[in-house]
Amino acid sequence: MINLTPWLNAPAWYIAFSGGLDSTVLLHWLADYARIHATPPLHAIHIHHGLQPAADVWPGHCTAVCERLGIELTVIHVQVPAGASLEQAARDARYAAFETVLGAGDVLFTGQHCDDQAETLLFRLLRGAGLRGLAAMPQQRPLGRGRVVRPLLNVSRAQLHEYAQTHGLIWAEDPSNADTAFARNFLRAEVFPLLQQRWPKASQVLARGAEHLGEALGLLDELAQADLAVAREGAPAMWSGIDSLDLASLVALSPARQRNALQYWLSLRTRLPDTRHWAGWAALRDAAVDSQPAWQLTDGKLERSHGRIWWLCGDWLQPVGGTLRWEMPGSPLPLPGNGSVSLQGAPLGDLRIAYRQGGEVLDIPGRGKRDLKRLLNELHVPHFVRPRLPLLYRGERLLAVANLPRLAQADCQLHWQPPTNAQGLS
């Protein structure tokens, strides 16, 4: 187990407590540690996935264990959506629930151990994962406003079992762990016992191999950061809230470095595509200059426009429309699903915000009436921004286009704070 000193200044400690062997040992160990050290407040979180009848008794078991140890327990019920991978969907729902609990700087301790590390490596090897998938689970990583810490990664399942027996601990057994239809269960029940007959330290060796792969990944991440620093240059300030990269800078790299840079960049935003689906990058990259290609990914999509690739997610994937009256133009106006606008200058009259319908004309001082579509083309406004671009009207007269000072009457400027394009993964 690891030294916990780096996290003693956290506002609070939480334990992901399923009631199984691993988390029961972790809970008991941390409770003992807290009795002899000055630690942050210690809490436990039990996630009820509702996937099997046996799970209905686990909250009661967890409550009893926590009461004996004097630890506050929170039980959270989650809905697990149907999908191709029930295990992945349950994990996503679980970590999304953890995020809602963690405050700034809080620490969530989880019970993954050495055997989990080895099983993960072998499982992902058999799925043909790349280096990012094969690298070891990190001892810590960000989660929402806090961090996940895995203090048991150097401890084997056998050692956890021995600890539990020595201290007379009682834990819940998940019946689904015996179902070898799940790939991980098959590896744990059928493959690893056979490997350990021939190589008794197979789990430790595989876990160590995953650590070496993690070091190699760290070097590739440094290379990706250097390549991305170049590709980020030249982003239009008016759309700085949308993550984008210069396509020419990426194309100048070898195909392997292109994938490496994009994997690093996308890993912070979405679940990475498998090898087969990387053809989407080639299609996006190599499409005709006058086309509008897109690459759909799990948590968003990449669009190409004016020599850059742009990451869109969240509200950016939803349509907007309608008209909003602006009765108090001295205050910002929230736009449903589209951020907010504020006004510099004070044009009089009945003001409203609307969106493009086609055929709009803007009277520009010194230039006369101009077709809005042509003006947006001249200013290289990305095609996916145009339907969301707030337009300021007084009655039926178009006064200003958001974030484009050249497209406004002399007495006003419309400032748009677009919806957030931040994407955090658990």
Side-chain angles (χ1 to χ4, degrees):
M1 300 185 190
I2 63 171
N3 176 18
L4 298 177
T5 304
W7 299 284
L8 288 176
N9 291 326
W13 282 1
Y14 291 89
I15 303 166
F17 185 40
S18 68
L21 170 65
D22 312 338
S23 62
T24 298
V25 170
L26 178 61
L27 182 75
H28 187 271
W29 176 61
L30 287 173
D32 269 359
Y33 185 91
R35 275 192 283 271
I36 58 177
H37 296 85
T39 68
L42 187 59
H43 312 271
I45 306 173
H46 177 79
I47 305 298
H48 190 334
H49 301 90
L51 295 176
Q52 53 182 316
D56 291 335
V57 303
W58 296 340
H61 166 79
C62 292
T63 298
V65 172
C66 288
E67 285 178 350
R68 286 196 296 271
L69 294 173
I71 295 174
E72 178 185 338
L73 174 70
T74 299
V75 177
I76 301 176
H77 293 255
V78 298
Q79 295 291 326
V80 179
S85 172
L86 185 63
E87 292 172 286
Q88 184 62 53
R91 181 189 182 280
D92 290 345
R94 184 164 62 250
Y95 276 87
F98 290 145
E99 277 197 55
T100 66
V101 175
L102 293 182
D106 289 345
V107 171
L108 174 72
F109 292 102
T110 61
Q112 291 93 347
H113 48 74
C114 177
D115 295 72
D116 290 327
Q117 191 85 280
E119 290 164 9
T120 298
L121 174 61
L122 187 54
F123 173 66
R124 291 180 176 175
L125 275 170
L126 292 170
R127 294 184 64 188
L131 188 58
R132 192 167 299 280
L134 299 177
M137 285 184 283
Q139 193 174 84
Q140 60 169 309
R141 68 172 180 86
L143 178 65
R145 295 183 295 164
R147 300 195 74 78
V148 173
V149 176
R150 302 180 175 103
L152 305 180
L153 286 180
N154 293 323
V155 181
S156 69
R157 183 180 289 112
Q159 289 173 306
L160 294 177
H161 195 271
E162 181 182 356
Y163 180 102
Q165 289 188 319
T166 299
H167 292 85
L169 305 184
I170 299 174
W171 61 92
E173 292 286 359
D174 183 348
S176 69
N177 286 339
D179 184 357
T180 54
F182 292 109
R184 286 180 179 273
N185 291 346
F186 180 80
L187 289 175
R188 185 179 305 125
E190 304 291 340
V191 176
F192 269 89
L194 187 61
L195 287 175
Q196 288 165 341
Q197 287 179 22
R198 178 64 178 83
W199 297 282
K201 294 187 178 297
S203 292
Q204 294 92 320
V205 171
L206 286 170
R208 189 163 63 246
E211 291 178 5
H212 295 327
L213 292 170
E215 291 181 1
L217 178 62
L219 294 175
L220 288 178
D221 283 350
E222 291 179 12
L223 178 63
Q225 290 167 13
D227 290 337
L228 291 170
V230 176
R232 286 192 180 99
E233 294 178 357
M238 65 192 72
W239 319 122
S240 59
I242 313 173
D243 299 328
S244 69
L245 299 173
D246 176 58
L247 183 60
S249 298
L250 293 174
V251 171
L253 304 173
S254 68
R257 280 180 70 170
Q258 291 176 29
R259 288 193 299 273
N260 182 60
L262 281 171
Q263 283 177 337
Y264 179 84
W265 192 64
L266 290 172
S267 69
L268 305 175
R269 295 162 174 80
T270 184
R271 189 165 298 120
L272 291 174
D274 60 26
T275 303
R276 293 169 298 170
H277 291 94
W278 271 93
W281 161 240
L284 183 79
R285 178 193 63 202
D286 301 336
V289 174
D290 58 352
S291 63
Q292 297 177 356
W295 183 18
Q296 186 68 50
L297 295 166
T298 303
D299 300 295
K301 65 178 178 178
L302 282 176
E303 294 266 9
R304 202 185 85 183
S305 179
H306 296 94
R308 300 187 73 83
I309 58 172
W310 308 74
W311 172 250
L312 303 180
C313 64
D315 284 340
W316 279 94
L317 303 180
Q318 306 303 320
V320 295
T323 298
L324 284 87
R325 292 188 62 190
W326 202 345
E327 297 179 351
M328 300 179 63
S331 301
L333 177 67
L335 305 177
N338 201 33
S340 64
V341 288
S342 58
L343 189 60
Q344 180 181 336
L348 300 176
D350 183 19
L351 301 181
R352 61 187 176 93
I353 294 293
Y355 298 98
R356 288 197 64 212
Q357 301 296 316
E360 293 87 359
V361 173
L362 180 65
D363 191 355
I364 301 177
R367 294 186 61 185
K369 294 183 178 181
R370 293 289 185 270
D371 178 69
L372 180 57
K373 179 179 179 180
R374 182 168 296 180
L375 292 170
L376 296 178
N377 287 339
E378 291 176 2
L379 294 173
H380 296 166
V381 177
H383 63 273
F384 53 84
V385 171
R386 299 182 188 194
R388 311 187 71 91
L389 203 55
L391 308 178
L392 176 66
Y393 283 87
R394 179 168 55 208
E396 296 303 315
R397 183 185 180 190
L398 178 58
L399 298 182
V401 180
N403 290 15
L404 297 173
R406 291 166 56 185
L407 304 188
Q409 300 296 304
D411 60 344
C412 68
Q413 292 290 332
L414 184 62
H415 300 285
W416 175 39
Q417 180 61 51
T420 178
N421 202 28
Q423 185 77 25
L425 294 183
S426 58

PDB file of all heavy atoms in Angstrom, residues 349-368:
ATOM      1  N   GLY A 349     -35.322  50.929 -28.841  1.00  0.00           N
ATOM      2  CA  GLY A 349     -36.351  50.233 -29.593  1.00  0.00           C
ATOM      3  C   GLY A 349     -36.587  48.828 -29.088  1.00  0.00           C
ATOM      4  O   GLY A 349     -36.054  48.401 -28.060  1.00  0.00           O
ATOM      5  N   ASP A 350     -37.397  48.104 -29.820  1.00  0.00           N
ATOM      6  CA  ASP A 350     -37.781  46.733 -29.472  1.00  0.00           C
ATOM      7  C   ASP A 350     -36.690  45.778 -29.958  1.00  0.00           C
ATOM      8  O   ASP A 350     -36.629  45.441 -31.144  1.00  0.00           O
ATOM      9  CB  ASP A 350     -39.124  46.415 -30.125  1.00  0.00           C
ATOM     10  CG  ASP A 350     -39.619  45.028 -29.755  1.00  0.00           C
ATOM     11  OD1 ASP A 350     -39.126  44.473 -28.750  1.00  0.00           O
ATOM     12  OD2 ASP A 350     -40.481  44.491 -30.482  1.00  0.00           O
ATOM     13  N   LEU A 351     -35.815  45.348 -29.040  1.00  0.00           N
ATOM     14  CA  LEU A 351     -34.671  44.513 -29.407  1.00  0.00           C
ATOM     15  C   LEU A 351     -35.001  43.036 -29.220  1.00  0.00           C
ATOM     16  O   LEU A 351     -35.710  42.651 -28.290  1.00  0.00           O
ATOM     17  CB  LEU A 351     -33.449  44.874 -28.563  1.00  0.00           C
ATOM     18  CG  LEU A 351     -32.962  46.325 -28.651  1.00  0.00           C
ATOM     19  CD1 LEU A 351     -31.737  46.518 -27.768  1.00  0.00           C
ATOM     20  CD2 LEU A 351     -32.654  46.713 -30.092  1.00  0.00           C
ATOM     21  N   ARG A 352     -34.421  42.226 -30.088  1.00  0.00           N
ATOM     22  CA  ARG A 352     -34.598  40.777 -29.969  1.00  0.00           C
ATOM     23  C   ARG A 352     -33.373  40.074 -30.543  1.00  0.00           C
ATOM     24  O   ARG A 352     -32.623  40.646 -31.342  1.00  0.00           O
ATOM     25  CB  ARG A 352     -35.862  40.309 -30.697  1.00  0.00           C
ATOM     26  CG  ARG A 352     -35.861  40.587 -32.193  1.00  0.00           C
ATOM     27  CD  ARG A 352     -37.212  40.249 -32.821  1.00  0.00           C
ATOM     28  NE  ARG A 352     -37.246  40.601 -34.239  1.00  0.00           N
ATOM     29  CZ  ARG A 352     -36.941  39.763 -35.234  1.00  0.00           C
ATOM     30  NH1 ARG A 352     -36.570  38.512 -34.956  1.00  0.00           N
ATOM     31  NH2 ARG A 352     -37.006  40.165 -36.494  1.00  0.00           N
ATOM     32  N   ILE A 353     -33.187  38.834 -30.089  1.00  0.00           N
ATOM     33  CA  ILE A 353     -32.126  37.975 -30.613  1.00  0.00           C
ATOM     34  C   ILE A 353     -32.780  36.870 -31.433  1.00  0.00           C
ATOM     35  O   ILE A 353     -33.747  36.235 -30.995  1.00  0.00           O
ATOM     36  CB  ILE A 353     -31.289  37.358 -29.474  1.00  0.00           C
ATOM     37  CG1 ILE A 353     -30.517  38.439 -28.723  1.00  0.00           C
ATOM     38  CG2 ILE A 353     -30.324  36.308 -30.023  1.00  0.00           C
ATOM     39  CD1 ILE A 353     -29.437  39.121 -29.538  1.00  0.00           C
ATOM     40  N   ALA A 354     -32.247  36.649 -32.616  1.00  0.00           N
ATOM     41  CA  ALA A 354     -32.755  35.584 -33.481  1.00  0.00           C
ATOM     42  C   ALA A 354     -31.563  34.883 -34.131  1.00  0.00           C
ATOM     43  O   ALA A 354     -30.397  35.243 -33.893  1.00  0.00           O
ATOM     44  CB  ALA A 354     -33.702  36.156 -34.533  1.00  0.00           C
ATOM     45  N   TYR A 355     -31.865  33.873 -34.943  1.00  0.00           N
ATOM     46  CA  TYR A 355     -30.834  33.103 -35.630  1.00  0.00           C
ATOM     47  C   TYR A 355     -31.099  33.121 -37.132  1.00  0.00           C
ATOM     48  O   TYR A 355     -32.193  33.456 -37.587  1.00  0.00           O
ATOM     49  CB  TYR A 355     -30.799  31.663 -35.102  1.00  0.00           C
ATOM     50  CG  TYR A 355     -30.455  31.577 -33.635  1.00  0.00           C
ATOM     51  CD1 TYR A 355     -31.457  31.440 -32.673  1.00  0.00           C
ATOM     52  CD2 TYR A 355     -29.137  31.661 -33.209  1.00  0.00           C
ATOM     53  CE1 TYR A 355     -31.143  31.371 -31.323  1.00  0.00           C
ATOM     54  CE2 TYR A 355     -28.814  31.594 -31.862  1.00  0.00           C
ATOM     55  CZ  TYR A 355     -29.817  31.453 -30.924  1.00  0.00           C
ATOM     56  OH  TYR A 355     -29.499  31.394 -29.596  1.00  0.00           O
ATOM     57  N   ARG A 356     -30.095  32.725 -37.878  1.00  0.00           N
ATOM     58  CA  ARG A 356     -30.188  32.786 -39.334  1.00  0.00           C
ATOM     59  C   ARG A 356     -31.309  31.896 -39.869  1.00  0.00           C
ATOM     60  O   ARG A 356     -31.480  30.755 -39.447  1.00  0.00           O
ATOM     61  CB  ARG A 356     -28.873  32.350 -39.971  1.00  0.00           C
ATOM     62  CG  ARG A 356     -27.735  33.345 -39.820  1.00  0.00           C
ATOM     63  CD  ARG A 356     -26.627  33.025 -40.804  1.00  0.00           C
ATOM     64  NE  ARG A 356     -27.092  33.189 -42.175  1.00  0.00           N
ATOM     65  CZ  ARG A 356     -26.646  32.465 -43.203  1.00  0.00           C
ATOM     66  NH1 ARG A 356     -25.750  31.522 -43.009  1.00  0.00           N
ATOM     67  NH2 ARG A 356     -27.109  32.679 -44.417  1.00  0.00           N
ATOM     68  N   GLN A 357     -32.033  32.446 -40.806  1.00  0.00           N
ATOM     69  CA  GLN A 357     -33.041  31.693 -41.541  1.00  0.00           C
ATOM     70  C   GLN A 357     -32.701  31.634 -43.028  1.00  0.00           C
ATOM     71  O   GLN A 357     -33.271  30.845 -43.771  1.00  0.00           O
ATOM     72  CB  GLN A 357     -34.417  32.352 -41.363  1.00  0.00           C
ATOM     73  CG  GLN A 357     -34.880  32.453 -39.919  1.00  0.00           C
ATOM     74  CD  GLN A 357     -35.098  31.092 -39.296  1.00  0.00           C
ATOM     75  OE1 GLN A 357     -35.681  30.204 -39.921  1.00  0.00           O
ATOM     76  NE2 GLN A 357     -34.618  30.913 -38.071  1.00  0.00           N
ATOM     77  N   GLY A 358     -31.755  32.491 -43.443  1.00  0.00           N
ATOM     78  CA  GLY A 358     -31.414  32.614 -44.859  1.00  0.00           C
ATOM     79  C   GLY A 358     -31.992  33.890 -45.436  1.00  0.00           C
ATOM     80  O   GLY A 358     -33.109  34.298 -45.104  1.00  0.00           O
ATOM     81  N   GLY A 359     -31.214  34.554 -46.269  1.00  0.00           N
ATOM     82  CA  GLY A 359     -31.681  35.764 -46.930  1.00  0.00           C
ATOM     83  C   GLY A 359     -31.501  37.033 -46.127  1.00  0.00           C
ATOM     84  O   GLY A 359     -31.983  38.102 -46.540  1.00  0.00           O
ATOM     85  N   GLU A 360     -30.796  36.983 -44.982  1.00  0.00           N
ATOM     86  CA  GLU A 360     -30.619  38.180 -44.158  1.00  0.00           C
ATOM     87  C   GLU A 360     -29.724  39.196 -44.876  1.00  0.00           C
ATOM     88  O   GLU A 360     -28.781  38.827 -45.588  1.00  0.00           O
ATOM     89  CB  GLU A 360     -29.988  37.826 -42.803  1.00  0.00           C
ATOM     90  CG  GLU A 360     -30.871  36.989 -41.896  1.00  0.00           C
ATOM     91  CD  GLU A 360     -30.745  35.500 -42.152  1.00  0.00           C
ATOM     92  OE1 GLU A 360     -29.971  35.112 -43.063  1.00  0.00           O
ATOM     93  OE2 GLU A 360     -31.420  34.724 -41.450  1.00  0.00           O
ATOM     94  N   VAL A 361     -30.025  40.468 -44.637  1.00  0.00           N
ATOM     95  CA  VAL A 361     -29.255  41.576 -45.216  1.00  0.00           C
ATOM     96  C   VAL A 361     -28.856  42.515 -44.089  1.00  0.00           C
ATOM     97  O   VAL A 361     -29.667  42.824 -43.204  1.00  0.00           O
ATOM     98  CB  VAL A 361     -30.082  42.336 -46.273  1.00  0.00           C
ATOM     99  CG1 VAL A 361     -29.332  43.582 -46.748  1.00  0.00           C
ATOM    100  CG2 VAL A 361     -30.395  41.426 -47.450  1.00  0.00           C
ATOM    101  N   LEU A 362     -27.592  42.952 -44.110  1.00  0.00           N
ATOM    102  CA  LEU A 362     -27.081  43.861 -43.087  1.00  0.00           C
ATOM    103  C   LEU A 362     -26.625  45.153 -43.748  1.00  0.00           C
ATOM    104  O   LEU A 362     -25.887  45.132 -44.742  1.00  0.00           O
ATOM    105  CB  LEU A 362     -25.910  43.210 -42.342  1.00  0.00           C
ATOM    106  CG  LEU A 362     -25.249  44.033 -41.236  1.00  0.00           C
ATOM    107  CD1 LEU A 362     -26.234  44.285 -40.094  1.00  0.00           C
ATOM    108  CD2 LEU A 362     -24.007  43.313 -40.703  1.00  0.00           C
ATOM    109  N   ASP A 363     -27.065  46.272 -43.192  1.00  0.00           N
ATOM    110  CA  ASP A 363     -26.664  47.594 -43.693  1.00  0.00           C
ATOM    111  C   ASP A 363     -25.399  48.011 -42.946  1.00  0.00           C
ATOM    112  O   ASP A 363     -25.444  48.347 -41.763  1.00  0.00           O
ATOM    113  CB  ASP A 363     -27.790  48.596 -43.456  1.00  0.00           C
ATOM    114  CG  ASP A 363     -27.542  49.907 -44.198  1.00  0.00           C
ATOM    115  OD1 ASP A 363     -26.459  50.048 -44.806  1.00  0.00           O
ATOM    116  OD2 ASP A 363     -28.422  50.786 -44.159  1.00  0.00           O
ATOM    117  N   ILE A 364     -24.243  47.971 -43.630  1.00  0.00           N
ATOM    118  CA  ILE A 364     -22.957  48.257 -43.004  1.00  0.00           C
ATOM    119  C   ILE A 364     -22.552  49.690 -43.317  1.00  0.00           C
ATOM    120  O   ILE A 364     -22.552  50.093 -44.490  1.00  0.00           O
ATOM    121  CB  ILE A 364     -21.869  47.290 -43.515  1.00  0.00           C
ATOM    122  CG1 ILE A 364     -22.273  45.848 -43.218  1.00  0.00           C
ATOM    123  CG2 ILE A 364     -20.521  47.596 -42.873  1.00  0.00           C
ATOM    124  CD1 ILE A 364     -21.291  44.838 -43.744  1.00  0.00           C
ATOM    125  N   PRO A 365     -22.202  50.467 -42.287  1.00  0.00           N
ATOM    126  CA  PRO A 365     -21.780  51.848 -42.535  1.00  0.00           C
ATOM    127  C   PRO A 365     -20.632  51.904 -43.545  1.00  0.00           C
ATOM    128  O   PRO A 365     -19.627  51.207 -43.405  1.00  0.00           O
ATOM    129  CB  PRO A 365     -21.331  52.331 -41.148  1.00  0.00           C
ATOM    130  CG  PRO A 365     -22.108  51.488 -40.184  1.00  0.00           C
ATOM    131  CD  PRO A 365     -22.232  50.147 -40.842  1.00  0.00           C
ATOM    132  N   GLY A 366     -20.806  52.708 -44.568  1.00  0.00           N
ATOM    133  CA  GLY A 366     -19.772  52.878 -45.579  1.00  0.00           C
ATOM    134  C   GLY A 366     -19.800  51.848 -46.682  1.00  0.00           C
ATOM    135  O   GLY A 366     -19.107  51.998 -47.696  1.00  0.00           O
ATOM    136  N   ARG A 367     -20.578  50.773 -46.521  1.00  0.00           N
ATOM    137  CA  ARG A 367     -20.625  49.726 -47.546  1.00  0.00           C
ATOM    138  C   ARG A 367     -22.034  49.490 -48.073  1.00  0.00           C
ATOM    139  O   ARG A 367     -22.207  48.845 -49.105  1.00  0.00           O
ATOM    140  CB  ARG A 367     -20.068  48.411 -46.993  1.00  0.00           C
ATOM    141  CG  ARG A 367     -18.596  48.446 -46.652  1.00  0.00           C
ATOM    142  CD  ARG A 367     -18.099  47.066 -46.254  1.00  0.00           C
ATOM    143  NE  ARG A 367     -18.242  46.094 -47.327  1.00  0.00           N
ATOM    144  CZ  ARG A 367     -17.960  44.794 -47.199  1.00  0.00           C
ATOM    145  NH1 ARG A 367     -17.539  44.333 -46.027  1.00  0.00           N
ATOM    146  NH2 ARG A 367     -18.113  43.969 -48.218  1.00  0.00           N
ATOM    147  N   GLY A 368     -23.009  49.970 -47.341  1.00  0.00           N
ATOM    148  CA  GLY A 368     -24.382  49.770 -47.771  1.00  0.00           C
ATOM    149  C   GLY A 368     -24.899  48.398 -47.394  1.00  0.00           C
ATOM    150  O   GLY A 368     -24.344  47.704 -46.543  1.00  0.00           O
TER     151      GLY A 368
END
